[in-house]
Amino acid sequence: MAKEQLEVLHALDVAKTQWYHFTAIIISGMGFFTDAYDLFCISLVTKLLGRIYYHVDGAAKPGSLPPNVSAAVNGVALIGTLAGQLFFGWLGDKLGRKRVYGLTLMLMVLCSVCSGLSFGHDAKAVISTLCFFRFWLGFGIGGDYPLSATIMSEYASKKTRGAFVAAVFAMQGFGILGGGIFAIIMSTVFDAKFSAPAYQVDPIASTIPQADYLWRIILMVGALPAALTYYWRMKMPETARYTALVAKNAKQAASDMSKVLQVDLEAETQKIEKLDDGKQANSFGLFSSEFLRRHGLHLLGTASTWFLLDIAFYSQNLFQKDIFSAIGWIPPAKTMNAVQEVYRIARAQTLIALCSTVPGYWFTVAFIDKIGRFTIQLMGFFFMTVFMFAIAIPYKHWTHSENRIGFVVMYSFTFFFANFGPNATTFVVPAEIFPARFRSTCHGISAASGKLGAIIGAFGFLYLAQNQDKAKADAGYPAGIGVRNSLLVLGVVNFLGLLFTFLVPESKGKSLEEMSGENEVEEEEQEQ
């Protein structure tokens, strides 16, 4: 037997799309724009850091970051993000979404700015400072995942909830795009103002002293979009679902949503008291046997699919450099000066974002409330599996120069279906299927398991994909299993993602309380 839903929650569920929906998307989405800008802009400047701080006199190639330094610079933010997802996810259920939301934003703004500062001039001091602040930047970014998803899902109507939560996540695509475009503009300005010869002409002069400012500016500008939305983030009222179902303040929930929806809503204090009755089905704790009975498989489903997806998604750097050099987007490093290399890398990343990343996200936004989360996720994993095996099995065929364009097309389709597929749905679903008092925590757990997959995908496979012959492996790396075998492993990972999708329920068109069973009365009460 289900309890009658609170009027304030019903009003949100059936509300027509209004201006406040779009402001919520923009406010939450700008956090995600910043997240993506900050997480992905580091890949634009790592080559430059290598040239500035790890130059070797007389070397045939420009300086590059040693494997352990490269892993630290690229990976420390991911570790911070994982920690932040767990901590702020839990805190969002304890203190309320809104209070914690401002905290994560301030941390992101502060650490973005500090990432471009360094204590000392030598390589060790600069890299240590950068890693320290990027860890805490990641920690703030981590909090944005569960909070943005939860806030948007709790504000949206049941008819358009999937599209609105996916639209927040889709701002990631614009963040990657924004980072690339800003780096293109800055490197063009620097190259025009301070011309320098290519590395092979003059190794020392190819890296201008001003290049040390370029990477700092690119990293620090990440603070701007987040800072601009701080005021509006603080003006947003707490979500009605948190206020009514967790804080048990019906009067405040009705008052907040009356202003937002511009309708008169009753406080319904008695109904809140009934929902809070000890015999209610929603009185169990997180990880209690009742929670595991009702939601254990759902949590396993959301965490495992996000984990498997991110292994494949973040392993793309395995063959990105091959693709970029294959189609002539990035010529050999010695033929460019330091600033030109930043320009070429930024241009390549921007083109990939434009052609593959951004369209995939918005296809999800367009179709998620029509064909459902389950179908999109299943289809995405299926095509990722197909394309990954299609690249891996005849891998030798794709390495011939005349087949390189086909390789790029296959690569683009793999990541188009990641974005029009599990990369978006794994973010949406955990914000819909758990009770309000665990929603942010469970989303944080799912997201953190995704980031664990990201760390394995980005770094585990970097070592795994090395040539089986130690002499042919990249400098500083041990022998691996080779790119072809790594791609076969990734194909299997995608197939496992497809199988684990069957643990995740469909939430299309249902209210959050219907999905989480929060309005239900326990069986004993039904029998009386």
Side-chain angles (χ1 to χ4, degrees):
M1 184 180 114
K3 277 278 183 196
E4 193 191 332
Q5 197 180 20
L6 287 169
E7 190 197 348
V8 63
L9 305 187
H10 178 69
L12 282 167
D13 273 345
V14 298
K16 286 192 169 73
T17 300
Q18 295 172 36
W19 182 243
Y20 82 87
H21 285 122
F22 293 110
T23 54
I25 289 172
I26 292 162
I27 293 164
S28 303
M30 284 316 281
F32 258 83
F33 179 97
T34 306
D35 297 351
Y37 182 102
D38 288 334
L39 280 179
F40 290 91
C41 70
I42 194 71
S43 62
L44 302 172
V45 299
T46 45
K47 298 275 189 200
L48 182 59
L49 289 169
R51 284 188 185 235
I52 297 170
Y53 296 106
Y54 291 89
H55 171 75
V56 178
D57 285 329
K61 289 180 180 175
S64 63
L65 298 179
N68 59 336
V69 174
S70 177
V73 168
N74 287 295
V76 73
L78 294 177
I79 295 165
T81 306
L82 188 155
Q85 284 162 337
L86 291 171
F87 177 71
F88 287 116
W90 168 78
L91 207 60
D93 283 332
K94 289 281 170 247
L95 303 181
R97 297 31 165 152
K98 182 192 165 177
R99 283 171 74 183
V100 183
Y101 213 26
L103 192 62
T104 62
L105 201 69
M106 285 310 296
L107 194 57
M108 280 155 60
V109 170
L110 187 69
C111 294
S112 276
V113 172
C114 292
S115 293
L117 308 173
S118 36
F119 308 128
H121 298 286
D122 65 318
K124 197 174 178 185
V126 171
I127 298 296
S128 303
T129 312
L130 181 61
C131 288
F132 176 80
F133 285 116
R134 280 192 65 79
F135 173 83
W136 291 107
L137 172 65
F139 195 67
I141 287 171
D144 227 44
Y145 275 74
L147 294 166
S148 289
T150 303
I151 286 171
M152 198 64 242
S153 79
E154 291 182 345
Y155 261 110
S157 73
K158 60 185 179 184
K159 207 168 149 191
T160 55
R161 187 178 61 236
F164 287 168
V165 180
V168 168
F169 191 64
M171 291 298 282
Q172 261 202 343
F174 289 124
I176 297 168
L177 206 56
I181 291 168
F182 182 71
I184 287 171
I185 294 166
M186 290 312 298
S187 53
T188 305
V189 169
F190 270 69
D191 201 34
K193 193 105 174 86
F194 315 103
S195 60
Y199 182 86
Q200 59 191 7
V201 176
D202 187 338
I204 303 288
S206 70
T207 306
I208 52 168
Q210 292 83 355
D212 200 35
Y213 293 111
L214 178 60
W215 70 267
R216 296 171 193 274
I217 292 166
I218 290 170
L219 295 188
M220 289 165 92
V221 162
L224 270 180
L228 290 172
T229 54
Y230 183 75
Y231 171 76
W232 288 283
R233 236 182 223 211
M234 291 296 91
K235 292 277 282 183
M236 270 176 106
E238 181 57 87
T239 71
R241 286 183 158 91
Y242 183 85
T243 310
L245 298 174
V246 185
K248 310 293 181 197
N249 189 341
K251 201 173 173 187
Q252 187 64 51
S255 157
D256 287 345
M257 291 308 112
S258 294
K259 287 177 201 155
V260 167
L261 296 167
Q262 295 173 332
V263 290
D264 288 329
L265 293 166
E266 233 184 290
E268 303 180 294
T269 313
Q270 287 173 315
K271 215 183 268 187
I272 285 279
E273 283 164 9
K274 272 188 195 174
L275 282 169
D276 202 25
D277 192 323
K279 287 183 180 175
Q280 279 300 300
N282 65 350
S283 56
F284 53 86
L286 183 66
F287 299 129
S288 62
S289 56
E290 183 63 16
F291 173 87
L292 294 174
R293 186 180 71 78
R294 286 164 171 260
H295 302 291
L297 283 178
H298 297 164
L299 187 57
L300 175 64
T302 57
S304 60
T305 50
W306 205 335
F307 171 75
L308 294 161
L309 171 270
D310 271 7
I311 291 178
F313 192 77
Y314 280 81
S315 69
Q316 59 184 298
N317 58 8
L318 279 185
F319 34 77
Q320 212 164 48
K321 61 176 191 287
D322 299 339
I323 285 174
F324 291 159
S325 12
I327 51 186
W329 284 356
I330 302 181
K334 63 182 181 182
T335 63
M336 301 176 280
N337 66 39
V339 174
Q340 284 166 350
E341 190 173 32
V342 173
Y343 170 82
R344 292 292 192 137
I345 294 167
R347 192 181 69 167
Q349 187 166 300
T350 305
L351 286 167
I352 287 281
L354 263 179
C355 303
S356 175
T357 313
V358 173
Y361 283 129
W362 291 98
F363 263 76
T364 304
V365 174
F367 291 106
I368 192 165
D369 286 314
K370 292 183 175 70
I371 60 178
R373 293 80 165 131
F374 179 81
T375 309
I376 288 178
Q377 187 161 309
L378 207 61
M379 175 195 72
F381 270 128
F382 173 77
F383 282 112
M384 284 173 75
T385 307
V386 168
F387 286 116
M388 203 62 95
F389 280 132
I391 291 172
I393 294 166
Y395 183 67
K396 274 220 168 77
H397 166 81
W398 299 118
T399 53
H400 300 305
S401 53
E402 67 273 15
N403 302 323
R404 287 291 173 90
I405 296 301
F407 182 43
V408 174
V409 171
M410 302 292 263
Y411 169 85
S412 297
F413 271 123
T414 308
F415 290 98
F416 170 80
F417 281 108
N419 294 317
F420 179 34
N423 195 31
T425 53
T426 51
F427 176 80
V428 175
V429 176
E432 300 182 307
I433 63 175
F434 299 105
R437 65 192 189 284
F438 306 137
R439 191 167 289 136
S440 180
T441 305
C442 290
H443 194 285
I445 292 167
S446 304
S449 111
K451 275 293 164 283
L452 183 62
I455 293 162
I456 293 169
F459 304 106
F461 276 89
L462 200 56
Y463 284 85
L464 210 58
Q466 293 299 323
N467 200 294
Q468 287 160 301
D469 178 359
K470 171 88 173 76
K472 291 179 185 170
D474 290 348
Y477 288 94
I481 61 170
V483 175
R484 181 177 180 270
N485 290 338
S486 298
L487 291 171
L488 287 169
V489 171
L490 289 170
V492 173
V493 164
N494 290 332
F495 182 68
L496 287 172
L498 184 148
L499 296 180
F500 276 100
T501 296
F502 286 96
L503 296 176
V504 181
E506 179 57 78
S507 47
K508 177 177 75 121
K510 294 177 182 173
S511 81
L512 295 177
E513 288 67 46
E514 199 183 332
M515 284 309 299
S516 61
E518 277 168 293
N519 287 343
E520 288 171 10
V521 183
E522 279 189 341
E523 281 166 37
E524 320 159 21
E525 198 174 322
Q526 288 177 29
E527 284 161 18
Q528 285 170 11

